[in-house]
Amino acid sequence: WAAIRSANTYRCAASYAGVFDLPRQVSHSKTIFSATRYFKEWRDKVDGDGARDLNAVSPLRHASHVRIPVLIGHG
């Protein structure tokens, strides 16, 4: 996200196992919690004071705005 938000600050960027689709990560993360209440507590921390539009800050939705080389590593 920093490579998109502050593109003039960086000449390149690297991400190892980064989260690129925030709404999908949040929906996937729901399955890793053993109890629904733990997910709700975690989600409250993610949302903070109010529900956020995760698409607005999801790197996947703004990939066309990247103007610097980005190294992406997974696995």
Side-chain angles (χ1 to χ4, degrees), residues 29-42:
S29 293
K30 188 175 192 175
T31 63
I32 66 171
F33 291 94
S34 58
T36 305
R37 71 183 174 107
Y38 296 128
F39 173 75
K40 289 179 182 176
E41 289 173 9
W42 177 80

Side-chain angles (χ1 to χ4, degrees), residues 3-66:
I4 297 166
R5 185 174 175 200
S6 305
N8 294 332
T9 304
Y10 303 100
R11 295 174 71 188
C12 62
S15 175
Y16 181 74
V19 176
F20 297 102
D21 188 352
L22 296 175
R24 188 171 182 186
Q25 177 69 30
V26 169
S27 68
H28 170 74
S29 293
K30 188 175 192 175
T31 63
I32 66 171
F33 291 94
S34 58
T36 305
R37 71 183 174 107
Y38 296 128
F39 173 75
K40 289 179 182 176
E41 289 173 9
W42 177 80
R43 181 59 194 246
D44 289 344
K45 288 180 184 178
V46 171
D47 284 343
D49 294 334
R52 305 285 187 250
D53 179 9
L54 295 178
N55 282 318
V57 293
S58 183
L60 180 67
R61 306 289 187 258
H62 300 279
S64 63
H65 295 102
V66 176

